[in-house]
Amino acid sequence: MSERHDDNDRTSQYDLAVEEARPKVKQPPLYRVVLINDDYTPMEFVVDILESVFGMERTRATQVMLEVHTKGKGVCGVYNFEIAETKVAQVMGIAQQHQHPLLCTMEES
Ligand code: TYC
């Protein structure tokens, strides 16, 4: 039987020359959590939020708050979707409780 070859022999009539599909894996997207400036929320309140929700040291929290205050917005951290969404909800919840108009959003990074 001339067509019958060893399993490893690619020339057998029963073999198909197929390329292995490349695995369809992608890194999950990351999101920047962003604070927006406003004229009413007290600076101290924003610093407290950056410490409690984003785990910043006071000096770093103050820098980020001032960046938001002067530039209009600033990044609090970069996270996967679920964590970013949770942080945004926590900030908005605490701001609402204290009746401050503080805004926090997320954007794909
Ligand atoms: N601009 C505010 C003030 O002067 C302080 C502030 C900083 C508000 C950051 C919001 O995301 C903010 N009291």
Side-chain angles (χ1 to χ4, degrees):
M1 263 215 292
S2 63
E3 288 89 2
R4 185 74 182 77
H5 298 277
D6 287 335
D7 283 350
N8 292 339
D9 186 337
R10 313 187 75 221
T11 62
S12 159
Q13 69 167 334
Y14 303 113
D15 282 348
L16 282 174
V18 284
E19 252 182 61
E20 220 168 272
R22 281 189 300 125
K24 290 179 189 142
V25 284
K26 256 205 222 158
Q27 292 299 110
L30 291 173
Y31 296 83
R32 295 186 290 272
V33 173
V34 174
L35 266 187
I36 311 293
N37 187 38
D38 67 72
D39 292 339
Y40 305 101
T41 305
M43 290 184 172
E44 178 66 24
F45 181 82
V46 178
V47 172
D48 286 347
I49 291 260
L50 290 167
E51 288 181 305
S52 63
V53 178
F54 299 95
M56 291 183 199
E57 302 281 357
R58 192 141 194 95
T59 46
R60 175 76 187 134
T62 304
Q63 278 177 359
V64 172
M65 180 280 294
L66 285 174
E67 165 147 344
V68 178
H69 177 70
T70 55
K71 297 190 181 156
K73 68 178 188 173
V75 178
C76 310
V78 179
Y79 309 94
N80 70 28
F81 183 86
E82 287 79 8
I83 295 181
E85 198 180 42
T86 302
K87 304 261 183 206
V88 169
Q90 285 173 339
V91 172
M92 297 302 283
I94 302 168
Q96 241 170 40
Q97 277 172 27
H98 292 80
Q99 303 193 330
H100 293 313
L102 183 62
L103 279 183
C104 185
T105 60
M106 57 198 263
E107 36 189 60
E108 196 172 334
S109 137

